[in-house]
Amino acid sequence: MYVDENVLNFMGSREYEASLMVNEVVEATVAFIDICSFTSISEKEMPDVVVDLLNRYFDLMVKEIIAQNGLIDKFIGDCIMAVFKGPYHLDRAIEACLTIRNKIEELPGNIDFLPKVFIGINCGEMICGNIGSATLRRLDYTVIGDTVNTAQRLQSVAASGQILINEACYEKVKQSFNCERIGATNLKNKTEEVIV
């Protein structure tokens, strides 16, 4: 329940102990999917209502990520970080996110809250491995790097219902997806503007 099946299988292998701090560079796609204005619900509703609602949204999202052979890297508050590896990883990530956005927007809302998502997607090289403290034996099997940071920054500037990619991703998928050029924007801790 607490660890992705692929990680669990690896943890049961003989190489596990020897490779605790080993990492590798992989070509993959990462997506950050955040629920719009969910913090405002947390201020108004009882905790059990908030958790139940969040879990229902997450369950819907996870099913679509898994359907496109993505991995749930982690849940960060009301945000999901998902990683897609293997053939057509960027296309599969976009397909999953389009389906998530559409299904979330079809859900019934109430007077105070209509469910929507902000999404940022980026692909490229990233470091994959166990990150954390071997001494404490508290590690996350995750991905890190500039590609991951950029995806998170794209999600942070996305408008309600938007799925943002940068120009490099657009060039890879422009034959498969109908994208709209928004223009140049500044991303936090990035020196140059990024075309989204």
Side-chain angles (χ1 to χ4, degrees):
M1 284 178 65
Y2 291 89
V3 181
D4 183 274
E5 186 178 359
N6 294 316
V7 178
L8 195 61
N9 291 337
F10 171 65
M11 287 168 65
S13 68
R14 290 183 185 179
E15 308 94 64
Y16 173 62
E17 287 290 336
S19 64
L20 271 181
M21 300 311 282
V22 172
N23 56 60
E24 61 177 333
V25 175
V26 296
E27 181 79 21
T29 296
V30 63
F32 285 84
I33 308 159
D34 195 17
I35 302 170
C36 305
S37 306
F38 200 81
T39 306
S40 63
I41 288 186
S42 303
E43 294 171 352
K44 297 172 188 169
E45 295 288 352
M46 296 297 290
D48 58 334
V49 173
V50 172
V51 170
D52 180 65
L53 195 57
L54 190 58
N55 283 341
R56 279 193 279 144
Y57 290 157
F58 278 166
D59 200 45
L60 181 153
M61 295 179 190
V62 166
K63 285 175 184 171
E64 300 308 325
I65 292 164
I66 290 171
Q68 292 293 339
N69 293 318
L71 303 171
I72 306 305
D73 188 297
K74 60 179 65 74
F75 298 100
I76 311 162
D78 56 7
C79 179
I80 289 181
M81 176 181 167
V83 179
F84 297 80
K85 300 176 185 176
Y88 304 105
H89 51 83
L90 177 57
D91 297 70
R92 290 186 287 107
I94 293 172
E95 286 286 1
C97 290
L98 284 167
T99 305
I100 287 168
R101 182 194 61 190
N102 297 340
K103 286 193 173 183
I104 286 286
E105 290 182 356
E106 289 169 3
L107 292 174
N110 60 38
I111 297 167
D112 298 322
F113 183 72
L114 286 171
K116 297 219 181 254
V117 287
F118 311 96
I119 300 175
I121 300 173
N122 195 23
C123 72
E125 284 191 347
M126 54 194 80
I127 299 165
C128 178
N130 290 301
I131 310 295
S133 169
T135 303
L136 185 61
R137 299 184 69 77
R138 176 63 178 90
L139 300 165
D140 281 334
Y141 187 76
T142 188
V143 290
I144 60 169
D146 186 61
T147 300
V148 178
N149 295 343
T150 299
Q152 192 280 321
R153 302 293 191 260
L154 287 167
Q155 175 265 306
S156 71
V157 299
S160 177
Q162 275 187 335
I163 300 170
L164 293 187
I165 60 174
N166 61 21
E167 197 166 30
C169 289
Y170 167 72
E171 289 299 325
K172 294 178 181 180
V173 297
K174 63 184 179 183
Q175 302 299 323
S176 305
F177 296 94
N178 182 19
C179 302
E180 177 186 338
R181 183 186 173 100
I182 294 170
T185 189
N186 290 306
L187 300 180
K188 185 178 175 184
N189 297 332
K190 294 288 179 183
T191 52
E192 295 181 12
E193 288 188 324
V194 174
I195 304 294
V196 296

